[in-house]
Amino acid sequence: MSTRHRYEIADFEAWRRIARELLLAGVPPHDVDWLDVSDSGSHTLSLFESAGGDVSAARAPAMKPNSSADLFSAADVSGADHQQMPSSDVAEHAAPVLRVSRQCLDVLRSAAMFRDAGRWALLYQALWRWQQGDQAAISPADSDGARIHVMVKAVQHEIHRMHAYVRFRETQGERPAGSPQFIAWFEPVHEILRAGAPYFRQRMGRASWMIATPGGIAQCHGEDIEYGPPIPQPPPIDDAGESLWLSYYQHTFNPSRVNARVMTQHMPVRYWKNLPEGKLIPGLVAQANAGSQQLGQTDSVGARKGAPIRVSAARAMPVREAPRTLDTCTRCELGRHATQGVAGIGPRNASIMLVGEQPGDQEDLQGTVFVGPAGQLLNQALEAATLSRDAIYLTNAVKHFKWEPRGKRRLHKTPAQQEVDACRYWLEQELTEVAPKVIVTLGATALRSVLNHARIKLQDQRGRPLRHGDTWVIPTWHPAYVLRVPDPRARTDALADIVAALRQAQALSESDVVAG
Amino acid sequence: MKLRDKLEILADAAKYDSSCASSGAPKRSSAGKDGLGTTTGMGICHSYTPDGRCVALLKILFTNFCQYDCQYCVNRRSSNVPRARFQVDEVVKLTMDFYRRNYIEGLFLSSGIVRSANYTMEQLVEVARRLREVELFRGYIHLKTIPDADPQLIALAGKYADRLSVNIELPTQESVEKLAPEKNVHTIKMAMGTIRSKLDESQDKRAPRFSPGGQSTQMIVGADASDDRSILDTAVTLYSAYKLKRVYYSAFSPIPDSPSSVPLAPAPRLREHRLYQADFLVRGYGFQVPELLDADRHLALDIDPKLAWALTRRELFPVDLNRADEAMIARVPGIGLRNAQRIVGLRRHRRVSWADLSRLRCPMQKLKPFIVVSDYRPAAEPQSEQLRKALIEPPRQLDLWGAAA
């Protein structure tokens, strides 16, 4: 046999106190009638079935001081996912331990702002199920959960719209002491004033403001927000700033794209009456529809006198550094997707030249060879070989970065032989101009390009100086290989190989033995 | 010229830039402080104009005097549009006054090119500096970056702005050469590269602040003959090379006294919409451009790009929603990222059924041929061509992107 329980609920806190008592007493949802007596209770929407029947409700009983410290309050202040209810209460009632997750409580608190007479019953039903271990009760795929989510979404939406559509007017001239400088009138559909107002404190700094709504007011004089009972809608203030806004609104509108339906979806008609720009909308739409809808320009701007700018094409052209021919190179397609061609760098009379494969992500951005991670490793190797980077000439076989997109990153891609061939044009110019005694080729691409031999393998040649015309060529690893190889031992060995190659290059460059 | 006249001309001149994002700035608050303004991380659209676009920022040009002659632009030097020019003070005051009344989240300032790229950029930077350092403005600032400006000016712009953008305007070098003779793809990329390098540096907490909302760009759609494939390829190149936050697509709308080098008719807005959808599939869902534009060079207008993709890959469907991984579920037409996540979450409690999807507000008609759930499996497989006909969006919805009349 069950007894019916009836409660009048004015707000979430009241519901929470009673819900806690009822849970502890093990009262199931169908034994409770909830009556909404919030400020808005008399004009609630009837989206959901409300607690029906002839309810002669009793006010919520006053709580004992210690228990009114709130059932779920522990969950509010701590970040923990699950909170045990205050033990004093539990002991007192010898009732089961109540647990509620912070997320669940947040969902219920938001849903409670939804102005609907049936909300308290629904929330208790969900909470009851949660207590029974049925956590799907607040899942959007659950039947109760779906309704709650609709409410939460609507409430969040309304808070967002309050942040967007509140319009302050500035009080002109002298103000009576204590009266705010900026005043707004806003009519939210749900009970969101307290949830929505704190944003304006962050926004307005020390300015004093008031947002009045039919359900109450929020005001702030640079410190904390005070909430108060409703006041009559303030008479509109004549604000010069507002008329500039109206001008802006009309002119940022593009009549050739008129699409009132989308506007109305985002900014429903019910907000228009409190938006200064609202009264312009019908006229703008009518005008746009009456016109050809071809031009984006507002008619009033088109009607003004205008004039072309008298500047010759030659003078208008920005002064730019003449592009290095490398930047305009179209011998292959790589330049299209790169930022810039990256030329070699170093003394024109250097006796050692290092040739790598191609610029990487950083080289492409900075326009300099060997400045990325591989470049840093190369610096280490040069230091270990006691070679000064400034004394040698550094370049790449291919001058543009070849890559493919991987999400928001660029992934290095080995250049194709025809791209290497196309780019040899540039490398040969550098070889002729610098005429080094020794070339250290880093990686297979560089080796193939320098020897102009497409099928030669690095593994067959590595570590042995080769004679190539008048030059010594020393093939070794590319530093990027060292970064890539997973085994730490192999990594150390590879780096040592590069250092050895560099030492050998130095020795050969200083010797009088001429290759060939 | 009165302030109101300037505002009218320079708002009108700026409306062709479609970016209005005010998100991505770090959280700032003026609670109990001198100055004004907050950023909450997510943007707020403070109004909508009857073209359906939001008003989040005061979007104006500093001046529409311009020495360039970009054929698609209303402000090109050969256009006889009325010209105006703001003073730095005027832009600062307008921004503050609009912000106080809760009309905007901040300022989006761009400009025609006057005298030189550096001179123009200096004016924009000075407005932003004044707002930040004199007015202690903590709202959102988006500055257009003039490609040929000195990298030091770009660094300074990034010190004050929440977002920088360099507009590429057209997807290919050939089109830029033809339609925007004074612009240069190389210098545009160099500017984007400078911004990206600064953004990378600013990852280090000790480095100076630099454009925390990243950078974006805009491409005009339908002013040249470029197809959707080249537009999206260029977009992907820019996303990965310069870490752009967004590429905006703006359907070309004809301008007064249009030169013969650009079309007289507006580009279909539905095309712009499809490009945004495809762009989002690439950024958010892990689609590759060649998957979406396999045989065709243009996206279909009658169906959305994910559905178009699914119809060419029938062998991957139906997908069993109780077994597939989240990424594959998100590839099912009609299921978005959020619902894919929810479906996977729900599987931990129970097997997913038809009613669950319905409660998640999935478009069931669209979904039907592509899924298997605990109590449903599609019957005989219809041909892709039939399916396509059945799933074309009803005209009422198409109308959404057309005229409202």
Side-chain angles (χ1 to χ4, degrees):
Chain A
M1 199 181 85
S2 68
T3 335
R4 287 201 77 70
H5 299 256
R6 288 166 190 175
Y7 295 103
E8 287 185 352
I9 301 297
D11 57 27
F12 182 74
E13 293 311 316
W15 171 84
R16 183 160 134 164
R17 281 195 299 273
I18 290 162
R20 175 178 181 277
E21 291 295 307
L22 293 171
L23 280 181
L24 285 169
V27 179
H30 55 261
D31 283 346
V32 193
D33 290 324
W34 302 89
L35 187 66
D36 187 45
V37 294
S38 62
D39 291 338
S40 53
S42 52
H43 51 92
T44 52
L45 311 167
S46 53
L47 182 61
F48 302 130
E49 221 181 323
S50 63
D54 181 14
V55 180
S56 57
R59 282 273 171 193
M63 292 290 134
K64 275 176 264 168
N66 65 339
S67 64
S68 70
D70 265 316
L71 183 65
F72 315 124
S73 63
D76 289 351
V77 287
S78 101
D81 257 5
H82 282 84
Q83 284 294 325
Q84 196 171 327
M85 290 309 145
S87 56
S88 63
D89 279 4
V90 176
E92 199 172 321
H93 295 272
V97 173
L98 298 183
R99 288 173 189 278
V100 67
S101 80
R102 184 189 186 82
Q103 185 218 355
C104 175
L105 193 64
D106 286 346
V107 165
L108 299 182
R109 190 198 310 276
S110 289
M113 294 178 219
F114 189 96
R115 205 168 269 176
D116 180 89
R119 60 188 144 169
W120 309 117
L122 177 61
L123 296 188
Y124 186 63
Q125 162 103 355
L127 185 63
W128 170 266
R129 286 179 54 197
W130 177 283
Q131 284 309 135
Q132 306 283 315
D134 181 6
Q135 303 194 348
I138 60 161
S139 155
D142 179 84
S143 58
D144 288 335
R147 287 166 69 189
I148 289 174
H149 270 258
V150 168
M151 294 161 78
V152 169
K153 223 170 156 182
V155 162
Q156 283 168 347
H157 220 131
E158 192 65 1
I159 293 171
H160 191 76
R161 281 168 165 168
M162 174 176 171
H163 295 165
Y165 300 144
V166 155
R167 292 287 182 267
F168 286 114
R169 290 192 165 107
E170 185 173 17
T171 317
Q172 309 292 307
E174 285 287 299
R175 297 181 268 131
S179 101
Q181 188 183 0
F182 292 93
I183 296 175
W185 173 256
F186 186 69
E187 298 176 39
V189 201
H190 301 298
E191 292 162 18
I192 51 136
L193 179 62
R194 280 165 187 265
Y199 164 78
F200 291 95
R201 186 168 167 260
Q202 296 191 18
R203 191 177 164 99
M204 298 295 276
R206 291 196 204 282
S208 67
W209 52 269
M210 176 175 75
I211 299 169
T213 73
I217 63 160
Q219 61 176 329
C220 181
H221 296 275
E223 298 299 328
D224 291 334
I225 302 178
E226 298 148 26
Y227 296 93
I231 58 167
Q233 179 171 359
I237 301 164
D238 188 21
D239 179 354
E242 191 167 290
S243 74
L244 280 172
W245 163 246
L246 297 181
S247 290
Y248 175 70
Y249 182 81
Q250 290 178 65
H251 288 85
T252 198
F253 163 52
N254 183 336
S256 76
R257 297 179 64 110
V258 63
N259 193 339
R261 195 197 301 263
V262 168
M263 170 191 62
T264 315
Q265 272 174 1
H266 291 293
M267 198 166 78
V269 180
R270 66 184 160 87
Y271 295 101
W272 295 7
K273 66 175 171 174
N274 290 321
L275 293 170
E277 64 270 29
K279 60 178 184 288
L280 298 175
I281 294 173
L284 290 175
V285 174
Q287 213 177 345
N289 284 333
S292 63
Q293 292 192 18
Q294 284 283 307
L295 295 184
Q297 193 179 52
T298 307
D299 290 347
S300 66
V301 171
R304 289 172 190 261
K305 213 162 122 331
I309 311 272
R310 307 267 168 229
V311 179
S312 70
R315 276 203 51 205
M317 188 61 82
V319 185
R320 296 188 175 110
E321 270 180 54
R324 291 169 296 161
T325 348
L326 194 54
D327 285 331
T328 52
C329 178
T330 51
R331 285 165 186 274
C332 75
E333 289 287 290
L334 292 186
R336 280 186 176 269
H337 299 286
T339 306
Q340 53 191 319
V342 182
I345 187 169
R348 301 284 137 170
N349 59 357
S351 53
I352 301 177
M353 181 187 276
L354 261 55
V355 182
E357 184 195 63
Q358 63 166 348
D361 180 62
Q362 283 304 315
E363 288 80 8
D364 172 77
L365 291 175
Q366 297 179 35
T368 313
V369 293
F370 290 109
V371 290
Q376 283 160 21
L377 198 83
L378 180 66
N379 289 346
Q380 272 181 42
L382 287 168
E383 206 174 308
T386 60
L387 264 176
S388 158
R389 183 171 160 139
D390 296 338
I392 54 181
Y393 190 91
L394 297 158
T395 191
N396 283 306
V398 172
K399 311 300 184 195
H400 280 113
F401 180 27
K402 183 175 184 181
W403 57 277
E404 57 186 10
R406 269 293 171 277
K408 287 223 157 183
R409 287 177 38 241
R410 296 192 283 185
L411 214 67
H412 163 275
K413 221 175 157 187
T414 307
Q417 189 59 42
Q418 59 188 35
E419 288 147 356
V420 177
D421 289 342
C423 221
R424 188 168 313 103
Y425 170 84
W426 299 105
L427 182 64
E428 275 169 6
Q429 286 192 6
E430 291 175 297
L431 287 169
T432 310
E433 201 185 327
V434 181
K437 278 171 89 175
V438 186
I439 302 170
V440 181
T441 60
L442 307 168
T445 304
L447 177 65
R448 287 175 193 154
S449 179
V450 167
L451 299 184
N452 195 5
H453 190 319
R455 272 184 300 279
I456 200 161
K457 287 194 168 126
L458 177 60
Q459 64 196 59
D460 300 339
Q461 310 296 334
R462 191 171 50 79
R464 274 189 301 136
L466 307 166
R467 291 181 199 171
H468 182 66
D470 295 340
T471 324
W472 285 105
V473 174
I474 306 179
T476 187
W477 304 112
H478 194 281
Y481 167 76
V482 182
L483 294 172
R484 251 193 343 258
V485 67
D487 176 41
R489 175 110 183 233
R491 203 180 307 146
T492 318
D493 290 349
L495 183 57
D497 284 353
I498 297 179
V499 174
L502 293 172
R503 288 210 176 105
Q504 202 166 21
Q506 186 166 28
L508 282 175
S509 75
E510 285 163 359
S511 75
D512 292 331
V513 185
V514 174
Chain B
M1 191 183 264
K2 280 200 286 202
L3 181 63
R4 176 184 311 275
D5 297 307
K6 293 184 183 180
L7 178 63
E8 289 182 2
I9 292 169
L10 294 169
D12 202 87
K15 69 170 85 155
Y16 303 91
D17 212 310
S18 54
S19 161
C20 72
S22 57
S23 56
K27 292 186 180 181
R28 294 189 291 258
S29 166
S30 299
K33 294 182 195 161
D34 289 335
L36 197 66
T38 181
T39 41
T40 57
M42 64 189 229
I44 297 176
C45 299
H46 284 267
S47 193
Y48 286 82
T49 57
D51 52 29
R53 297 213 242 194
C54 86
V55 183
L57 303 171
L58 170 62
K59 191 193 297 179
I60 45 177
L61 296 193
F62 185 74
T63 175
N64 67 340
F65 284 93
C66 187
Q67 63 195 45
Y68 286 9
D69 207 29
C70 308
Q71 300 295 291
Y72 47 80
C73 179
V74 68
N75 303 309
R76 69 190 185 283
R77 68 166 182 268
S78 57
S79 158
N80 62 357
V81 74
R83 311 271 175 177
R85 182 188 170 152
F86 277 124
Q87 300 296 315
V88 170
D89 287 350
E90 291 171 329
V91 180
V92 170
K93 187 169 183 321
L94 268 176
T95 308
M96 297 297 284
D97 283 350
F98 277 18
Y99 194 90
R100 281 191 188 98
R101 289 166 176 77
N102 206 41
Y103 302 150
I104 52 168
E105 285 292 280
L107 174 68
F108 178 172
L109 190 60
S110 181
S111 183
I113 311 289
V114 276
R115 286 200 231 172
S116 69
N118 278 349
Y119 175 80
T120 310
M121 194 71 215
E122 279 163 15
Q123 307 300 304
L124 303 188
V125 169
E126 177 57 14
V127 170
R129 187 196 68 80
R130 205 80 77 82
L131 278 168
R132 292 285 192 234
E133 292 184 350
V134 180
E135 304 292 332
L136 304 179
F137 176 69
R138 297 182 193 86
Y140 195 88
I141 298 179
H142 178 155
L143 292 184
K144 185 63 64 188
T145 308
I146 313 297
D148 286 279
D150 192 308
Q152 285 191 318
L153 277 170
I154 297 181
L156 209 51
K159 177 179 172 189
Y160 302 118
D162 291 302
R163 175 170 284 186
L164 299 176
S165 58
V166 186
N167 281 4
I168 185 117
E169 306 291 15
L170 298 162
T172 67
Q173 192 158 344
E174 291 72 20
S175 292
V176 172
E177 278 166 18
K178 192 168 143 234
L179 295 182
E182 287 85 12
K183 291 201 174 196
N184 178 300
V185 169
H186 178 66
T187 57
I188 291 172
K189 284 179 173 179
M190 292 293 279
M192 289 179 173
T194 303
I195 295 174
R196 198 209 114 178
S197 296
K198 297 271 174 208
L199 287 169
D200 287 349
E201 282 169 30
S202 69
Q203 295 300 304
D204 186 339
K205 295 247 182 304
R206 289 159 299 179
R209 168 203 140 92
F210 187 85
S211 186
Q215 64 169 328
S216 62
T217 193
Q218 169 168 297
M219 262 188 274
I220 299 171
V221 178
D224 65 342
S226 301
D227 53 36
D228 293 349
R229 175 71 194 259
S230 23
I231 291 174
L232 287 171
D233 279 340
T234 299
V236 167
T237 296
L238 299 178
Y239 276 127
S240 27
Y242 308 113
K243 299 189 179 163
L244 298 194
K245 276 274 163 37
R246 283 294 298 276
V247 173
Y248 291 91
Y249 305 94
S250 178
F252 174 70
S253 54
I255 45 178
D257 306 315
S258 191
S260 57
S261 47
V262 292
L264 284 166
R269 244 155 293 152
L270 192 53
R271 184 178 171 204
E272 175 189 293
H273 180 57
R274 295 290 182 232
L275 283 166
Y276 275 118
Q277 290 179 314
D279 178 281
F280 191 58
L281 290 177
V282 171
R283 280 186 300 134
Y285 291 71
F287 278 92
Q288 306 287 318
V289 175
E291 285 183 280
L292 297 172
L293 284 157
D294 192 7
D296 295 322
R297 301 283 304 181
H298 278 293
L299 295 165
L301 289 184
D302 57 347
I303 52 173
D304 70 76
K306 202 208 266 181
L307 179 57
W309 169 81
L311 288 175
T312 62
R313 301 300 305 274
R314 292 298 300 285
E315 72 278 8
L316 298 175
F317 296 98
V319 167
D320 185 342
L321 299 187
N322 281 300
R323 307 170 78 104
D325 64 21
E326 195 177 313
M328 187 59 211
I329 295 178
R331 284 187 165 222
V332 175
I335 300 186
L337 289 175
R338 183 109 62 98
N339 271 345
Q341 203 179 7
R342 284 175 173 166
I343 287 166
V344 172
L346 189 65
R347 289 199 309 215
R348 284 195 285 270
H349 302 297
R350 60 162 185 266
R351 299 196 17 96
V352 178
S353 68
W354 177 267
D356 290 326
L357 299 177
S358 171
R359 274 193 292 266
L360 289 172
R361 300 174 162 226
C362 293
M364 303 309 282
Q365 277 307 314
K366 188 175 191 179
L367 219 58
K368 245 166 58 177
F370 299 105
I371 55 152
V372 169
V373 283
S374 65
D375 54 351
Y376 168 83
R377 151 179 301 277
E381 283 188 29
Q383 296 295 309
S384 288
E385 218 22 62
Q386 284 172 286
L387 256 185
R388 184 194 182 105
K389 285 206 185 93
L391 291 173
I392 287 176
E393 290 166 30
R396 201 189 66 77
Q397 250 180 300
L398 283 181
D399 183 50
L400 218 116
W401 300 95

